[in-house]
Amino acid sequence: MTTAIAHPNIALIKYWGKAPETGNVPASPSLSITLDGLSTTTTVMSAQADQLRINGELSDDVKVLRWLASLREHFSIPPIHIDTANNFPTGAGLASSASGFAALIVAINAHCQLGLATESCSGWARQGSGSAARSLFGGFATLKPPNWQASPLLDAKDWPLSIIIAITDTGRKAVSSSAGMERSRNTSPFYPAWIEQTKTMFHAALDAVQAHDFSALATLAERSTLNMHAVMLSSQPTLLYWNGTSIALMQRISALRDSGVPVFFTIDAGPQIKAVCLPEAADIVAKSLGEVAGVRQLVRTGLGAGARVVDA
Ligand code: DP6
């Protein structure tokens, strides 16, 4: 029996769209921060037949089962029980598939002695879910060509940031990221420009992180979020992941930054708002976001470590 833990990551330069080739290859590079407060814990044990449990319930999640089948084309993996649980809402735009596939490949790699290095684990996690590649590493990570395995960019301790997640709705999202991306690629007139601009913004964001330039990173991260949501909104049928509270929170965060508070927002395929700030601003930001009507819960966290085995 082997247990691994992984944390979700939040992209600051977003991935939204796949390249035409097989293997779940993104169409553009991305840059993320790995969180420490939220986690997925996954236990793998030898068994008579495969079984998957997600948050205690038996599951036949096709994404996981197909991924396991493709892993078995390369490695000899005996029947296993997989028991995976999140300490946060699943499928609500909090990156549960990222921490899920990262924890799963790390647990299987150790349990079945596949001998994969962290970068190779990242490549396998990416085949399950693009964003999962980045959860293999802590702190700041990138996912880029040519090999589309994530790389560490900066350690969590080298530039500590605080993240305040405002949960506005805990329901599952109506359209999954994979389906939404395909819809955007096929229907949004802005899609080609989005992909091209992301490549440029990715390089600018690398410089901002390396220089610890919060203000430059804030501008780039908010632009990446808003450009991605513009592509989502211009898809047909439209992909509107926000609710009224999401918009009120964006306005609140913009007002805070205008008044000198070092904070910016980032939003994925869901209605939750993630505020990223310098640690000294975390109390002010949390207090201010907590006052916005419709916020159900605030989760405060910092930057965390990459996926790892906790019990073998
Ligand atoms: C908006 O990694 O969930 O969070 O590869 O189809 O599983 P698949 O997509 P997924 O998409 C993440 C989209 C995003 C942006 C990001 O994390 O980069």
Side-chain angles (χ1 to χ4, degrees):
M1 181 165 132
T2 306
T3 300
I5 187 165
H7 306 290
N9 69 78
I10 302 176
L12 302 184
I13 298 297
K14 307 284 185 192
Y15 143 59
W16 190 256
K18 298 172 197 289
E21 60 253 48
T22 53
N24 202 36
V25 176
S28 56
S30 54
L31 185 156
S32 62
I33 47 177
T34 300
L35 308 182
D36 68 356
L38 316 180
S39 57
T40 298
T41 305
T42 301
T43 297
V44 167
M45 63 190 107
S46 307
Q48 301 289 346
D50 283 345
Q51 193 182 81
L52 172 63
R53 258 177 210 280
I54 302 182
N55 294 324
E57 312 243 320
L58 280 177
S59 164
D60 53 5
D61 186 302
V62 274
K63 241 178 151 175
V64 176
L65 298 180
R66 271 199 209 133
W67 176 85
L68 192 56
S70 71
L71 194 63
R72 281 198 170 111
E73 288 169 16
H74 294 81
F75 302 99
S76 151
I77 298 172
I80 46 175
H81 278 190
I82 299 167
D83 207 330
T84 185
N86 301 321
N87 71 352
F88 60 93
T90 301
L94 290 173
S96 55
S97 68
S99 47
F101 277 104
L104 184 55
I105 186 62
V106 167
I108 293 178
N109 184 41
H111 189 76
C112 305
Q113 300 181 342
L114 306 188
L116 297 174
T118 309
E119 286 75 11
S120 305
C121 284
S122 169
W124 277 104
R126 187 209 74 237
Q127 297 202 34
S129 187
S131 53
R134 303 180 308 237
S135 276
L136 269 294
F137 296 99
F140 294 77
T142 61
L143 179 61
K144 60 182 192 304
N147 65 3
W148 296 104
Q149 298 172 347
S151 320
L153 176 63
L154 201 65
D155 240 43
K157 63 174 175 2
D158 290 339
W159 193 19
L161 295 177
S162 295
I163 298 96
I164 292 139
I165 302 173
I167 297 180
T168 65
D169 188 344
T170 51
R172 266 189 170 269
K173 59 190 166 211
V175 182
S176 73
S177 295
S178 304
M181 285 180 198
E182 277 312 281
R183 188 183 294 179
S184 293
R185 188 169 71 86
N186 290 323
T187 64
S188 169
F190 306 143
Y191 182 81
W194 150 250
I195 294 298
E196 279 320 301
Q197 229 209 350
T198 297
K199 293 176 187 169
T200 310
M201 285 174 37
F202 173 76
H203 290 288
L206 285 183
D207 293 345
V209 170
Q210 263 143 2
H212 298 198
D213 184 341
F214 187 86
S215 156
L217 187 62
T219 303
L220 288 159
E222 287 190 355
R223 275 180 65 200
S224 180
T225 287
L226 294 172
N227 287 358
M228 178 180 77
H229 282 273
V231 167
M232 291 164 163
L233 287 168
S234 59
S235 302
Q236 285 175 21
T238 188
L239 294 162
L240 172 56
Y241 287 109
W242 302 338
N243 56 33
T245 309
S246 319
I247 294 172
L249 284 161
M250 282 185 256
Q251 289 170 325
R252 178 63 65 102
I253 292 165
S254 295
L256 281 170
R257 192 148 92 260
D258 287 347
S259 73
V261 178
V263 60
F264 63 85
F265 62 77
T266 180
I267 316 167
D268 293 306
Q272 330 304 354
I273 303 295
K274 292 111 181 188
V276 180
C277 63
L278 292 178
E280 58 267 29
D283 286 342
I284 293 177
V285 172
K287 183 169 178 298
S288 179
L289 301 191
E291 289 163 2
V292 174
V295 171
R296 296 188 175 198
Q297 196 192 338
L298 290 181
V299 178
R300 284 176 69 158
T301 169
L303 301 186
R308 63 216 178 261
V309 171
V310 288
D311 189 11

